[in-house]
Amino acid sequence: MTTAATPSPSADGRWLNLRLAPALFAADAPLAEGEVACIVVQQGHIAWVGPQQQVPAAYAALPAHDGGGQLATPGLIDCHTHLVYGGQRANEFAMRLAGASYEEIARAGGGIVSSVKATRQASEDELYALALPRLQSLLREGVCAIEIKSGYGLALEHERKQLRVARRLGEDLGVTVRTTFLGAHALPPEYAGRSQDYIDLVCNEMLPALAQEGLVDAVDAFCERIGFSLAETEQVFRTAQALGLPVKLHAEQLSNMGGSALAARYGALSCDHIEHLDAAGIAAMQAAGTVAVLLPGAYYCLRDTHMPPIAALRAAGVPMAISTDHNPGTSPALSLLLMVNQACTLFGLTVPEALAGVTRHAAQALGLQDTHGTLAAGRPANFVLWPLAEAAELAYWLGQRPACTVVRQGRIHAP
């Protein structure tokens, strides 16, 4: 395990003999198709990107790293995960195969509430030990930034420990972690029949306390028939806005609640799932610059047949991101590249769209577009070298994890 106490080698120097994935970099000098490229790293940041023959003389004395003709992309970004939780829900997978619906499982006491019970019973250290190998699996595949939500505590002390674990993981593994408070994920058992009382608790006590402790980067909610209403969601958004925190939304997954249009009115970073998104929601997202986050793993695991409106999103110019939605119930996925393949095969994205979906559009969905998602001078050094002949292979292979070299936060993580 790589920890803050045992850092990996510095990536400073000239990274030579590279091929850059098209449209995912901003070269400091024009780069012809197929031209050998160089990335210069200084003090953990990208200092220059461009043709190898045009590297400025000021960098000539820096150490050389031979990329061996490998394909270079920005570090991948997993922009929607529920990575910190107790227990697992393999039994629900079997129930769905036997014919039970997502809503039927939830109403029978399964679903999110079962994960809440296991998460509440686990200590902070136990949650860390459970989440650590999950995150390590994603990092080995080139992830350099990740969002981790709370939402399996549904009480102040338990939401706090989820968010604290997320912060610890980022610090210990040297990866950018954005934390999202998802207190409005489900109604805890002790508040059965009293959803407004619970939302009042979320807005008046939980969110202000966690924000003051510096544990919250963004605020999310589950706006759905089995989640929370539009009015309750807006109450959460108003509280977030008053605290200066950006919002995002689990929207239109099981039905069209109009949550995307509401989120867009609050300038949401993203609306996620969106299988039932309508034209009004698309228009609102386009106007607000809100990213559509596609979660093909959940679509696949739930055996959904109502596909997100990809063609309409494409026509409207709404940026589309892709994420694992890693969670114990509906998307126990630990491969972002598999999600890239699923977004192409299930949703019809092109390879360039899919690669943008796990780099620059995923960065935008986390508010990280100024620092992550593209290769450009001035940004932290987060990039991946792939032993692949072409970028399409990142979407092509099923189950193969290329032995990639990852430069994350200016340090080298070898295969």
Side-chain angles (χ1 to χ4, degrees):
M1 172 182 111
T2 299
T3 69
T6 55
S8 297
S10 169
D12 282 10
R14 295 167 296 140
W15 289 79
L16 306 170
N17 300 319
L18 303 177
R19 292 174 297 115
L20 299 187
L24 297 178
F25 62 89
D28 291 278
L31 190 69
E33 184 174 353
E35 189 171 8
V36 176
C38 173
I39 300 173
V40 177
V41 178
Q42 274 192 316
Q43 298 182 335
H45 284 69
I46 296 174
W48 190 89
V49 182
Q52 185 166 305
Q53 292 184 341
Q54 298 182 36
V55 177
Y59 305 126
L62 293 179
H65 305 272
D66 186 2
Q70 294 185 92
L71 178 74
T73 70
L76 306 187
I77 300 169
D78 200 353
C79 64
H80 179 132
T81 84
H82 306 253
L83 201 74
V84 176
Y85 56 85
Q88 46 81 16
R89 282 153 54 189
N91 63 312
E92 294 178 17
F93 176 74
M95 289 172 67
R96 281 197 301 274
L97 292 177
S101 71
Y102 183 94
E103 294 183 1
E104 287 169 343
I105 291 170
R107 292 195 173 106
I112 295 167
V113 173
S114 66
S115 290
V116 170
K117 181 179 179 180
T119 301
R120 287 180 173 184
Q121 291 174 343
S123 69
E124 185 175 316
D125 286 342
E126 288 169 337
L127 290 176
Y128 180 95
L130 290 168
L132 180 63
R134 300 170 193 149
L135 180 54
Q136 289 173 321
S137 180
L138 290 165
L139 299 184
R140 284 193 294 270
E141 202 178 65
V143 168
C144 290
I146 188 168
E147 185 235 30
I148 301 178
K149 302 178 189 291
S150 66
Y152 289 130
L154 307 186
L156 178 56
E157 64 177 303
H158 301 300
E159 292 285 297
R160 176 185 287 121
K161 69 183 179 184
Q162 279 192 276
L163 294 168
R164 282 173 53 87
V165 167
R167 287 281 194 243
R168 284 175 59 189
L169 288 167
E171 293 167 2
D172 289 353
L173 273 69
V175 58
T176 301
V177 171
R178 299 295 283 180
T179 57
T180 296
F181 172 69
L182 183 55
H185 194 196
L187 196 60
E190 64 269 23
Y191 278 85
R194 298 188 294 130
S195 64
Q196 185 56 59
D197 288 344
Y198 178 66
I199 289 297
D200 288 343
L201 176 71
V202 166
C203 295
N204 298 334
E205 297 183 30
M206 294 168 65
L207 178 51
L210 296 170
Q212 186 176 25
E213 293 169 25
L215 293 174
V216 181
D217 295 322
V219 177
D220 195 354
F222 185 33
C223 184
E224 192 53 75
R225 292 175 309 213
I226 60 171
F228 296 95
S229 69
L230 281 171
E232 290 165 339
T233 299
E234 185 164 20
Q235 185 177 341
V236 174
F237 284 179
R238 285 199 301 267
T239 302
Q241 187 178 65
L243 292 168
L245 294 169
V247 301
K248 52 183 61 185
L249 188 65
H250 283 65
E252 274 72 80
Q253 180 184 10
L254 307 174
S255 62
N256 181 15
M257 294 276 290
S260 296
L262 170 66
R265 289 203 300 272
Y266 282 83
L269 291 172
S270 69
C271 291
D272 305 30
H273 287 289
I274 59 167
E275 281 84 351
H276 294 263
L277 181 65
D278 62 11
I282 292 173
M285 291 172 64
Q286 190 278 332
T290 298
V291 177
V293 177
L294 307 175
L295 303 174
Y299 178 92
Y300 169 81
C301 287
L302 292 172
R303 295 189 294 175
D304 202 346
T305 58
H306 199 292
M307 199 173 81
I310 302 299
L313 288 164
R314 184 184 289 132
V318 175
M320 293 180 284
I322 301 165
S323 184
T324 62
D325 185 22
H326 177 84
N327 74 81
T330 61
S331 188
L334 286 170
S335 170
L336 190 55
L337 292 184
L338 177 59
M339 299 302 101
V340 168
N341 175 276
Q342 289 189 342
C344 293
T345 56
L346 298 178
F347 293 163
L349 267 65
T350 66
V351 169
E353 285 174 333
L355 295 183
V358 292
T359 53
R360 68 173 186 271
H361 292 163
Q364 185 178 345
L366 296 181
L368 293 174
Q369 61 270 24
D370 292 335
T371 55
H372 291 68
T374 59
L375 298 175
R379 293 175 174 238
N382 291 296
F383 57 89
V384 188
L385 305 186
W386 307 92
L388 303 173
E390 55 185 301
E393 290 190 69
L394 292 168
Y396 168 70
W397 293 107
L398 282 174
Q400 176 186 355
R401 293 195 169 207
C404 56
T405 297
V406 181
V407 171
R408 190 173 68 244
Q409 292 188 351
R411 294 198 170 275
I412 304 169
H413 302 265

